[in-house]
Amino acid sequence: MKEILSGNEAIARGAFEAGVKVATAYPGTPSTEILENIINYKEIDASWAPNEKVALEVGIGASFGGARALVAMKHVGVNVAADPLFTLSYTGVNGGLVLVTADDPEMHSSQNEQDNRNYAKFVKVPMLEPSDSQECKDFTRLAFELSERFDTPVMLRTTTRISHSKSIVDLGEPVKGLPEPKLVRNAAKFVMLPSNARVRHPLVEERIKKLSESGSTLEINRAEIRSREIGIITSGVAYHYVREVLPDASTLKLGMVYPLPFALIRKFAANVKKLYVVEELDPFIEEQVRGAGIQVIGKDILPVCGELTPGILRTAFNMPKTEKIAIEKLPGRPPNMCPGCPHRGVFFALNQLKAYVTGDIGCYTLGFMPPLSAMDTCVCMGASIGNATGVAKVVSAEEKKKVVAVIGDSTFLHTGVNGLMDMIYNNSSATLLILDNSITAMTGRQDNPASGFTLMDQPSYQVDIPQLCRVLGAKSVRTIDPYDLEETRKALEEEMARPEPSVIVTNRPCVLVKRDGVFKKAPVLTIAQDVCTGCRACLKIGCPAIVWKPADGKKGTACIDMLLCTGCDVCRQLCKFGAIGRAK
C-alpha cells in the first residue's frame, strides 16, 4: 500500500511500524506534526511535555522499562534536552530510543540556524539523516534496530524541507515479537555515579568505532558510481539537489552522517578524480573527511549559511543556469498578529509607556514588528524573565522601572517558572507580564498544562498560572483583560513602579483556539466614513482587519474588513472622534 506523506507523517508511520509504545515531544516548527500524527496510532501513548528535557526524560524512562520510545523536537529543543541526552549516551538503552531533531536551515521559524549534526558527534551517538519521506519512515524503523543492537540512543535528523515536503511512501506492517516491557534492575548500567560512569565511557568509545565500521556495509550508505571525473559526498535533501544539477556525477549518499563510514569514503574517493562534499550549514562531513587525510572541496565554493538550492549548486559548479519563469512580483506580507489577537493591545500599551521589553519565543515575538515596535530582546524559550532580572541588576533606579519581561503561558511553563523563582528569590524589581492565551499558539495551537487538555484531547488538571506565581512568592499578582486598553495601561504603570517583583497575567484566549467555546467572537466593528477624519490612530495597532482607503485630494479614511474583524474592540478605544462602532 502506498500513500503520499510528509516527512513528519512518515516518521509517525515509522514509529508505528517499529512498535513504539511511548512518544513524547514539545511542539516546535518544523517537528510539530510528528506527534500530531502519531495520535492516529492508538497503540502509542503520545503526549506533549512541558519542555524538551522532560519529554526526553519520559522517553528514557519508557526505554529503561523495556519499551521502544520516540522523542521529537526542533533543533533548539535539543539544547534544552542536552543534559539528560549526554548521560543517556553513557547509560545506553533497554528498549530502543530515537530522538528526532528537526533542524531549520534558513531560519523559517527559528531564532538560530544551528546544525544539530554536531550534537551527534558531541554526545557520541549515531545520527541518521533521511532525504525524503520514504526514508523518513524506513530510517525511523532502522534507528530503533540500531538503538537496540548497539545499546545506544539514535538521533534522526530532518530539516524543514524534509519535514514538510511530501512524497510517495510504501507502507509496511508493524514489527512482531518485541519483548514485553517490564522492570529490570541494572544499577551498574543505569545509575551514573562516577564509579559506574567511568566503566561506561570506554564502552561508548568502542561503540562509535563499531558503528563506523558497520556503516561501511549499511545499505543506507551507498556509492553510486557514474562519471569518475567528479565524486560528491552528500546527505539529506542536498542529495536530490546534486542529482538534479549534476546528474552525471558519482555520489556517495550517506544515510548515517555520524559516525562516518571511513572505509567506504576512502574507497569512493579512490574511484573519482575530484572529491566534493555538498552539505547544508556547517562543514560537518567535510572537516571529518579532511581530518582523515582525504582531499576534498566543500565550503570553499558553497555557503555556510542558509538552505542549499539547485540554483546555488549551479553557481558553485559553474553549471548553465535554467531559464527563469516569469512570476509577477507579489506584495510584501510581513508577519503579523491575527485580527483580534489579545497581545496587540498589550504591546501598544508597552510602546506608549516606553517600556524596555525583554521578549520571548511565541506569537508575541511579533510585538517587535512595526507599528507596535515594543520588544528589545529575544534570546530563547524562557529567557525573558532572567534577562529582565539581569538588566534590572545593572541599570539605574529610574530605569529599573521600565524593565518588563513578556512571556506566554506555554513558554512560562516550559522554562519560565525557574526564571520567576529566581526573580522573586533575588528580589528583582522587574515586572513580569504573562500573556495567557490558553494555548501554544505559534506552533499550531497545541495544548499545554495550562489549557486543561492533553494531546489526546483528554480533560486534565489545568495549571492555575496566577496561583502558581503566588506559590512561588510573588506578592503582587493581578489578572487583566488585554482588550481593555485603559486597564492594561494602568496595570502596567502601577506594577512597573513597584520596587519589588510583580506579575500581570492577561486572560484572553487565542482567536484561533481549536476547542469550541474557548474564544467567543464579538459583534464586528465598522467605521463611519463620514465621521472618520483620516487621523490614522487606529492604524497604530497594526490590525490586518483595518484597511486604509486613499482618496483623491484628501487624507483618505480607514475601513474595517468585516470578514476579518473579531470584534475585539481595541481599535474603537483609539478613535477620539467616535467613528468606530459596532456594525448593525
Side-chain angles (χ1 to χ4, degrees), residues 2 62 74 97 142 151 175 190 200 332 345 350 372 425 456 513 564:
K2 299 177 185 289
K74 69 180 295 174
L97 189 147
L142 175 62
D151 188 16
V175 296
F190 294 133
R200 296 295 301 175
L350 288 167
L372 297 171
Y425 174 60
M456 307 299 287
V513 168
L564 294 179

Side-chain angles (χ1 to χ4, degrees), residues 6-15 129-141 156-158 162-163 169:
S6 70
N8 284 342
E9 291 170 331
I11 291 171
R13 176 70 191 190
E129 184 174 13
S131 64
D132 57 27
S133 296
Q134 181 68 57
E135 289 189 350
C136 281
K137 188 205 73 132
D138 294 344
F139 284 19
T140 300
R141 290 190 63 155
L156 182 76
R157 179 192 187 237
T158 64
I162 300 301
S163 297
V169 177

Side-chain angles (χ1 to χ4, degrees), residues 8 38 50 109 181 193 252 276 314 359 416 500 555 559:
N8 284 342
I38 276 181
S109 184
L193 292 172
L252 176 56
Y276 294 84
R314 287 190 184 95
E500 60 185 2
K555 283 185 176 180
C559 66

Side-chain angles (χ1 to χ4, degrees), residues 221-240:
N221 294 329
R222 66 174 186 268
E224 301 170 349
I225 303 299
R226 301 179 187 89
S227 167
R228 297 182 185 273
E229 293 298 315
I230 292 178
I232 298 177
I233 302 172
T234 188
S235 65
V237 73
Y239 166 77
H240 294 290

Side-chain angles (χ1 to χ4, degrees), residues 26 51-52 80 111 358-362 364 377-389 405-423 432:
Y26 181 82
N51 66 30
E52 294 86 357
V80 180
Q111 67 269 41
T358 57
D360 225 294
I361 308 297
Y364 43 89
T377 73
C378 182
V379 179
C380 68
M381 296 280 282
S384 58
I385 308 176
N387 290 166
T389 296
V406 175
I407 195 168
D409 51 324
S410 182
T411 312
F412 176 65
L413 298 175
H414 178 280
T415 34
V417 174
N418 283 352
L420 177 58
M421 197 184 309
D422 175 74
M423 177 184 279
L432 172 59

